Amino acid sequence: MPDMKYILVTGGVISGVGKGVIASSFGTILKSCGIDVTSIKIDPYINIDAGTFSPYEHGEVYVLDDGGEVDLDLGNYERFLDITLHRDNNITTGKIYQQVIERERRGDYLGKTVQVIPHITDAIQEWVQKVAHIPVTPDNSPPKVCIVELGGTIGDIEGMSFVEAFRQFQFRVKRENFCCAHVSLVPMPKSTGEPKTKPTQSSVRELRGLGLSPDLILCRSEIPINHTVKEKISNFCHVGPEQVICIHDLSSVYHVPLLMEAQGVVQYLNERLQLNMSVPRPGRFMQKWRNLAKRVENLRKEVNITLVGKYTKLEDSYASVTKALQHASIAAGYRLNLTYVEAVSLERQTKIDDPVSYHKAWQDLCKCDGVIIPGGFGQRGMEGKIEAAQWCRETQKPMLGICLGLQAAVIEFARNVLGLKGANTTEVDPNCEDKLVIDMPEHHPGNLGGTMRLGKRKTYLESSLISQLYKKDIIEERHRHRYEVNPEYIERLEAAGLRFVGKDETRTRMEVALVDGHPYYVTVQFHPEYLSRPLSPSPPFLGLILASLGKLKSYLSKGCRLSPRNQSDVSSDEEDISVSSLSLIEEKTVIENGKHVNGVK
């Protein structure tokens, strides 16, 4: 069996420099070469997982098939590489220490003093080696390359044990099987107008001082940096000029793998890790990504969607929802224009407290083509979500409600159609008159970590709009919720026109609800955004976008097929042009300088 190859991606200067997208891009390039890839994300925080985080801490909590609540970067890996990761693909300091302490309690260390070195560092190395060999593709083929992203910034005290573990690891797996890629920021202060390499020099010096020498330095900058700067980094950081890869701000994340490939990443990894890939690459190499990137560039018309959420101050709080909307918009041939509206701003109390915010929020809602109400927890903003759901239902505005969005829609319907003015969720008001949404029997309020209904579950669909979009009667989607619709009210709700067309295997847990006669009023208890892919958009999201454009009926009548004319504003002549011969210079013509990539900041 050939040795596993490892690529360690570290970050310097600042956090949020784009390690996740760059790590995903390494995988995309290698996968295009026919090499199976897996990914591991290391988060140095002491939490066992991301499940108890506020979205303002690290952005959204991403949920895996097995119910693992992990960092949003694992979402990048799954979307870019089209793989299915597991909870053990996310390592935290808390998980490592928990494992070591449990071993110590069992007496596995034979009475020795348990220390960071060697016990913690050994546990990290063993974990990485074990997880690297777990298949992540549908055919269960073993991965050949494992990409490990070390969260945080080099020099952080929290990450020291992991850096030391990988210093040892490079000798454990041998040099030809280990490569270190360091992502650093090259700022350009407006006062000088030139790129500054000193932060990168300092970051690399610190990394080398800790025992890791970068094989590749990936420089993030606002605009392309010239060859002189590249050579300066090469001279001061002990790498060849071809080992300095420049990634400036691009108009879409789909250009990142192409920009990296155009700078010789494939050739370097092939030699450095002895991957034995055939050279030169085939003529249609990465054609799928080139076509996708070109398609995104040529989108001219916009579709306006408003997101009514609770955590809109940090856009990463809704990273997967945003990506799923983008995937659906691209498939429909439109550029997404997404507006964030804070749910609290829609509430009647805000009209008194802050009339400016109130009127602006309602103006943003009224101007949109469609509305999405995503998930969330807690009391704040619930009434605003209910107001938005009522407005969409009464004005025939296309709406997709997810998780809490479904619950808000059910409460709104009970209040305004059934006349149950005391309807609410027990999460907000445990003593409400009509408990339309109740906590699930298996929920344990004393312990918040991992006690929700999590992971992939089956939903059985009745014949409806949603089963047409999915093209099947049984679907599997990922869940993350503590509360459910009260089964006692289902009959009355359905009699009044809110139809529950998706239920779990017991037929008592409501999964999908819609209003008949409405252009698109669909709410789901699961989170379809987690399984959306760039070339395979999530059906409920595609339905929302098409309904917002007035194209849903046409799409359904054609057997759920998008015709090329509807899909894109690019002429058929343009679509037929082969872009496989795009040179790096031509690739740069599609760049909008100074504009951040979503997720590559």
Side-chain angles (χ1 to χ4, degrees):
M1 185 171 144
D3 290 335
M4 174 65 69
K5 309 292 183 179
Y6 297 90
I7 300 173
L8 174 66
V9 179
T10 60
V13 184
I14 60 169
S15 60
V17 76
K19 297 188 299 297
V21 170
I22 287 168
S24 303
S25 299
F26 274 121
T28 300
I29 294 168
L30 291 171
K31 203 165 181 187
S32 300
C33 297
I35 293 174
D36 284 317
V37 177
T38 186
S39 292
I40 294 174
K41 172 68 191 294
I42 294 175
D43 287 302
Y45 47 68
I46 297 173
N47 304 61
I48 299 296
D49 58 34
T52 56
F53 277 150
S54 157
Y56 290 130
E57 287 289 315
H58 283 269
E60 73 167 4
V61 177
Y62 190 77
V63 178
L64 302 171
D65 274 8
D66 62 7
E69 296 173 283
V70 296
D71 184 85
L72 59 84
D73 278 321
L74 274 80
N76 278 327
Y77 305 154
E78 287 202 335
R79 283 187 287 267
F80 268 70
L81 307 178
D82 199 16
I83 56 179
T84 302
L85 298 173
H86 314 285
R87 66 174 74 238
D88 286 347
N89 287 81
N90 191 200
I91 303 174
T92 69
T93 299
K95 283 183 180 178
I96 295 293
Y97 272 80
Q98 186 182 50
Q99 185 190 75
V100 170
I101 289 167
E102 284 172 358
R103 286 180 182 175
E104 185 272 332
R105 293 288 85 188
R106 286 197 305 265
D108 292 0
Y109 297 116
L110 301 173
K112 290 183 179 175
T113 303
V114 181
Q115 297 175 288
V116 173
I117 303 172
H119 302 102
I120 296 294
T121 52
D122 281 355
I124 294 166
Q125 294 173 69
E126 288 162 14
W127 191 306
V128 169
Q129 279 191 298
K130 179 187 75 176
V131 172
H133 290 89
I134 298 173
V136 291
T137 54
D139 60 0
N140 281 329
S141 55
K144 295 178 183 174
V145 177
C146 178
I147 298 162
V148 184
E149 180 194 342
L150 176 57
T153 309
I154 287 300
D156 292 348
I157 192 166
E158 295 95 339
M160 286 300 183
S161 56
F162 291 102
V163 175
E164 172 58 24
F166 283 105
R167 185 195 67 76
Q168 299 171 21
F169 192 69
Q170 63 188 331
F171 302 109
R172 182 174 183 154
V173 298
K174 299 179 184 172
R175 174 177 162 73
E176 64 272 17
N177 299 321
F178 183 86
C179 169
C180 179
H182 188 62
V183 185
S184 183
L185 181 71
V186 178
M188 183 182 284
K190 287 182 181 176
S191 56
T192 61
E194 60 178 358
K196 293 295 182 183
T197 65
K198 193 64 71 180
T200 296
Q201 293 175 41
S202 301
S203 178
V204 171
R205 190 182 306 117
E206 185 153 18
L207 183 65
R208 289 172 61 81
L210 294 168
L212 284 170
S213 292
D215 298 286
L216 288 169
I217 298 175
L218 296 106
C219 300
R220 289 282 293 111
S221 59
E222 263 193 54
I223 62 173
I225 58 177
N226 59 37
H227 194 69
T228 308
V229 177
K230 201 171 178 176
E231 289 211 326
K232 187 175 180 182
I233 292 170
S234 165
N235 288 334
F236 281 95
C237 297
H238 200 68
V239 293
E242 74 283 356
Q243 292 166 264
V244 181
I245 310 296
C246 303
I247 303 170
H248 47 280
D249 290 350
L250 300 164
S251 56
S252 94
V253 289
Y254 306 120
H255 286 295
V256 178
L258 300 174
L259 191 58
M260 287 169 63
E261 187 269 332
Q263 294 181 65
V265 166
V266 173
Q267 294 88 326
Y268 181 80
L269 292 178
N270 193 24
E271 294 168 16
R272 177 68 181 77
L273 294 175
Q274 299 174 15
L275 294 170
N276 301 318
M277 291 187 287
S278 58
V279 181
R281 306 305 319 146
R284 293 186 66 78
F285 176 58
M286 293 193 75
Q287 187 70 32
K288 178 179 76 172
W289 279 91
R290 293 183 192 280
N291 288 344
L292 181 61
K294 184 178 175 68
R295 183 183 173 82
V296 172
E297 285 304 321
N298 284 288
L299 298 175
R300 296 185 183 96
K301 295 180 183 176
E302 285 190 341
V303 56
N304 300 300
I305 302 294
T306 291
L307 183 150
V308 179
K310 296 179 58 171
Y311 319 108
T312 56
K313 290 173 187 170
L314 180 67
E315 291 183 11
D316 269 355
S317 301
Y318 299 106
S320 290
V321 172
T322 304
K323 298 294 182 191
L325 287 167
Q326 286 173 351
H327 300 161
S329 301
I330 292 166
Y334 282 71
R335 185 183 296 276
L336 175 69
N337 179 27
L338 184 61
T339 303
Y340 294 88
V341 167
E342 187 69 26
V344 173
S345 299
L346 298 172
E347 295 176 3
R348 290 167 192 174
Q349 185 59 41
T350 307
K351 189 175 184 180
I352 301 165
D353 299 339
D354 187 356
V356 174
S357 296
Y358 175 83
H359 289 294
K360 182 172 188 316
W362 276 103
Q363 189 177 38
D364 287 338
L365 194 65
C366 294
K367 285 192 298 187
C368 72
D369 301 315
V371 176
I372 185 160
I373 303 179
F377 294 91
Q379 180 177 349
R380 185 180 62 84
M382 186 63 180
E383 290 300 321
K385 290 185 180 237
I386 291 169
E387 291 276 358
Q390 180 182 358
W391 181 80
C392 290
R393 182 178 59 79
E394 293 177 348
T395 61
Q396 301 283 291
K397 183 69 70 174
M399 186 200 89
L400 173 62
I402 297 171
C403 197
L404 188 65
L406 174 139
Q407 296 170 10
V410 168
I411 293 166
E412 184 279 318
F413 197 89
R415 287 180 185 177
N416 299 309
V417 179
L418 294 183
L420 304 176
K421 297 303 179 185
N424 213 328
T425 166
T426 56
E427 181 180 13
V428 172
D429 182 3
N431 302 312
C432 61
E433 193 176 332
D434 288 288
K435 298 177 174 62
L436 263 292
V437 178
I438 55 174
D439 58 340
M440 292 180 288
E442 61 266 43
H443 167 47
H444 304 289
N447 189 0
L448 297 180
T451 56
M452 287 184 276
R453 185 166 178 252
L454 292 163
K456 189 183 262 192
R457 314 263 178 159
K458 282 185 179 176
T459 296
Y460 295 81
L461 300 176
E462 296 173 13
S463 179
S464 62
L465 168 64
I466 206 77
S467 65
Q468 282 181 274
L469 287 168
Y470 273 102
K471 303 179 192 174
K472 52 178 116 173
D473 298 327
I474 302 173
I475 59 170
E476 289 187 296
E477 292 279 9
R478 296 174 181 177
H479 293 68
R480 184 176 186 249
H481 64 112
R482 282 198 178 91
Y483 295 83
E484 64 176 344
V485 179
N486 190 340
E488 293 177 11
Y489 289 86
I490 301 305
E491 202 172 310
R492 293 167 67 185
L493 290 165
E494 290 202 310
L498 184 65
R499 203 153 63 92
F500 292 92
V501 297
K503 299 174 184 176
D504 74 342
E505 60 275 5
T506 68
R507 302 297 195 274
T508 58
R509 193 155 277 157
M510 303 302 118
E511 297 279 7
V512 184
L514 53 81
V515 173
D516 283 328
H518 192 288
Y520 195 81
Y521 191 90
V522 173
T523 58
V524 295
Q525 186 61 71
F526 46 78
H527 288 265
E529 66 269 24
Y530 294 141
L531 292 181
S532 182
R533 300 288 179 263
L535 298 173
S536 178
S538 167
F541 281 88
L542 184 59
L544 173 67
I545 295 298
L546 291 172
S548 301
L549 296 168
K551 296 184 177 184
L552 182 58
K553 282 185 180 176
S554 170
Y555 174 73
L556 295 173
S557 68
K558 291 174 182 172
C560 295
R561 285 188 179 88
L562 285 163
S563 65
R565 186 176 294 176
N566 285 344
Q567 270 188 295
S568 179
D569 294 313
V570 183
S571 71
S572 56
D573 292 335
E574 281 180 273
E575 285 185 327
D576 290 338
I577 294 172
S578 171
V579 289
S580 59
S581 58
L582 274 178
S583 67
L584 176 59
I585 296 169
E586 289 172 315
E587 198 73 60
K588 284 180 179 175
T589 63
V590 298
I591 287 154
E592 297 175 16
N593 289 337
K595 188 175 180 181
H596 282 298
V597 179
N598 289 321
V600 185
K601 297 177 181 172

